[in-house]
Amino acid sequence: MALAGTCLVLAGPPANPAERTALEQVALARARTAMLAQLGPLPMGQGSLQEWLREDVDLDRAVRFWARTWPQQGRFRWYSDGVCEVDVRVTPEDLRAGLQPLLSEYPLASERRGVDEERLRSIARAWPVLWATGAAGESGPLRSPNPSGWEDVTRDGLELARAAATADAVYALLDEVSRLKISNARRLRDFLASGSNVREATRAALARSASVRVRFEPDQVAVAEASIDMRTLLGILTEVCAAHPERGEYQAADFREMALLAERETLTARGLAPPPQAETLRTRYRLIEYDAPAWSHTTARAVGRAEVTLAEAEEDVRLEAARLDGIDQLRRALDALEVRPNVTLRSILGYHTELKGDLALLLGSARVMGTPVRRADGVLEVRVELPLRRAWEIVRRVMEIEEVEPSAGTGTTGA
């Protein structure tokens, strides 16, 4: 069927501050998740960064927790259709600085992939500046009883994520326990490694006795925090030791000495887990945009320049002048884009001036890529880029919408 002359209705940003904040958190979380996916293929020793992370589950967990602390780049962008966008930017230096401490913390994984600090510095020089964008609010205000960011996850998916995160937290707690000193020469990992039955008995006791709190974070990651006090841990180890007398080289006195050397009353560890993909609610059909222009899947690029007349200005002033020059070039490039044959974006704006504010907001988010180049004549140059998908989403609001029955071969995808 066809609905001639139908246009999208603009919802606008939510008026409720709490709802607005929730959408901003979801957008930032999605940007971080998208950025983490971009890091995986980067070269890292003998293979990729993702292959290095697969060498050790604790290493993978550490990087994922670090990724969840990346700050946003610039302000949240609220468009008139109620969509919130935000960017995350990671430079090669940021990434190298974040990964370098992990080389010594997880030496076996680094050794297996042939990575050390010198090799990491060399590899990092070839990494690009990475940007990722997260968006929230495409379906209007959040009305689901689920936590923010989990609106499309079933109740079973929530519980499965809770259970998986709890198990991961207990595993991480066991690893934290293994680092405790029994003496100045030995650590508790020696006791746990004395037999698989000893390690499993300790893990099972931790799972029964540890206190666990689970949070469902906006990036669709369940984060569990497991903690146990030293007195309870001392009792667990003493019981495990007594239940396995064949490990005669360890005595209850060893664990009492451990408790004294620890000089802390509580051990804490965190685990995380996403929901199973099978528990994500799905639409029956995917959206088919048979009339989307080819440029909607591309990125516009320009080189902005700060002229010699600004040679005496502060560095940040020159960089901003060059960026604004690049944005001005991008604006002219957007004006010339053809939305339909012989119909440019500029001509559409002549009839629909209400779109100008959103396009100006989009242009302001143009990304500075790479490092500035200082030419011999004193001109400063910077490369700027702008993904054009959002430009099409802004313009298509005033286009005629047609709904058609999907073909029999159309598959389902996530919402």
Side-chain angles (χ1 to χ4, degrees):
M1 62 179 178
L3 302 178
T6 302
C7 295
L8 298 180
V9 177
L10 302 186
N16 186 325
E19 196 169 297
R20 190 182 181 102
T21 299
L23 285 170
E24 289 175 347
Q25 291 176 341
V26 171
L28 180 56
R30 289 174 177 173
R32 288 168 173 164
T33 301
M35 176 61 76
L36 188 60
Q38 289 188 55
L39 300 188
L42 294 177
M44 186 71 173
Q46 299 169 3
S48 66
L49 193 149
Q50 183 61 53
E51 290 171 328
W52 176 57
L53 297 183
R54 288 173 182 162
E55 295 286 350
D56 192 309
V57 65
D58 295 323
L59 170 61
D60 183 78
R61 185 192 303 113
V63 171
R64 289 181 181 276
F65 274 122
W66 173 58
R68 301 178 74 249
T69 68
W70 289 332
Q72 68 189 66
Q73 183 73 18
R75 298 179 179 179
F76 291 102
R77 300 187 296 277
W78 279 99
Y79 295 94
S80 59
D81 60 353
V83 172
C84 174
E85 278 190 346
V86 70
D87 298 322
V88 169
R89 177 176 180 260
V90 173
T91 67
E93 182 57 30
D94 293 335
L95 186 54
R96 186 199 62 78
L99 297 180
Q100 183 169 315
L102 301 178
L103 297 180
S104 56
E105 192 170 348
Y106 302 96
L108 293 180
S110 303
E111 183 179 343
R112 284 194 289 266
R113 287 293 163 183
V115 185
D116 54 27
E117 290 191 12
E118 183 177 351
R119 183 78 182 274
L120 178 61
R121 282 193 294 270
S122 176
I123 294 171
R125 296 190 188 102
W127 289 340
V129 175
L130 296 176
W131 288 79
T133 300
E138 298 93 331
S139 301
L142 302 179
R143 301 300 182 194
S144 169
N146 287 358
S148 296
W150 294 70
E151 294 77 17
D152 59 346
V153 179
T154 66
R155 299 305 298 177
D156 286 345
L158 285 167
E159 293 308 313
L160 288 170
R162 182 197 300 274
T166 299
D168 190 46
V170 170
Y171 176 84
L173 185 60
L174 181 63
D175 184 64
E176 187 70 17
V177 166
S178 72
R179 300 178 186 182
L180 294 173
K181 289 184 177 181
I182 295 179
S183 67
N184 290 330
R186 293 189 301 170
R187 294 185 181 270
L188 195 60
R189 67 167 62 96
D190 300 326
F191 170 67
L192 298 176
S194 63
S196 59
N197 52 350
V198 171
R199 184 178 180 86
E200 177 55 27
T202 304
R203 187 208 62 78
L206 286 175
R208 291 191 301 269
S209 304
S211 173
V212 181
R213 294 188 307 161
V214 179
R215 304 188 312 274
F216 294 99
E217 299 289 359
D219 53 351
Q220 273 193 14
V221 171
V223 179
E225 185 174 283
S227 61
I228 193 165
D229 63 83
M230 195 61 67
R231 184 184 296 273
T232 303
L233 176 61
L234 179 58
I236 288 173
L237 295 174
T238 301
E239 290 178 4
V240 171
C241 186
H244 298 85
E246 69 275 14
R247 312 300 171 191
E249 62 271 28
Y250 296 98
Q251 305 295 330
D254 294 323
F255 307 126
R256 290 194 293 271
E257 180 69 14
M258 173 209 72
L260 293 173
L261 289 173
E263 295 183 344
R264 49 178 169 164
E265 296 182 357
T266 305
L267 292 180
T268 303
R270 292 186 299 170
L272 50 78
Q277 290 187 354
E279 298 300 327
T280 300
L281 300 175
R282 296 173 180 269
T283 56
R284 184 182 177 193
Y285 301 117
R286 62 185 174 90
L287 178 64
I288 303 175
E289 293 184 305
Y290 62 85
D291 58 348
W295 56 259
S296 65
H297 306 291
T298 64
T299 298
R301 296 177 174 84
V303 176
R305 295 175 176 82
E307 300 299 336
V308 180
T309 53
L310 292 174
E312 302 301 324
E314 296 290 336
E315 184 71 3
D316 57 343
V317 173
R318 300 190 72 204
L319 287 173
E320 182 61 11
R323 189 182 78 90
L324 291 175
D325 180 64
I327 289 176
D328 189 54
Q329 295 179 49
L330 291 174
R331 179 188 58 77
R332 293 194 293 271
L334 259 65
D335 283 346
L337 292 174
E338 285 195 345
V339 181
R340 293 285 186 272
N342 301 318
V343 179
T344 64
L345 192 149
R346 182 176 183 176
S347 64
I348 289 179
L349 291 180
Y351 289 97
H352 298 280
T353 57
E354 71 275 11
L355 300 182
K356 289 184 177 180
D358 280 355
L359 285 170
L361 186 62
L362 173 64
L363 281 166
S365 69
R367 306 163 173 179
V368 175
M369 307 299 295
T371 56
V373 176
R374 292 164 180 80
R375 295 187 347 194
D377 59 3
V379 172
L380 181 71
E381 294 183 342
V382 295
R383 291 186 297 114
V384 291
E385 293 185 355
L386 185 70
L388 296 178
R389 177 64 191 178
R390 171 57 57 182
W392 166 241
E393 291 171 354
I394 292 171
V395 173
R396 74 180 179 187
R397 301 176 201 159
V398 297
M399 308 300 294
E400 183 178 90
I401 303 299
E402 289 187 353
E403 294 185 8
V404 298
E405 288 296 336
S407 62
T410 302
T412 62
T413 64

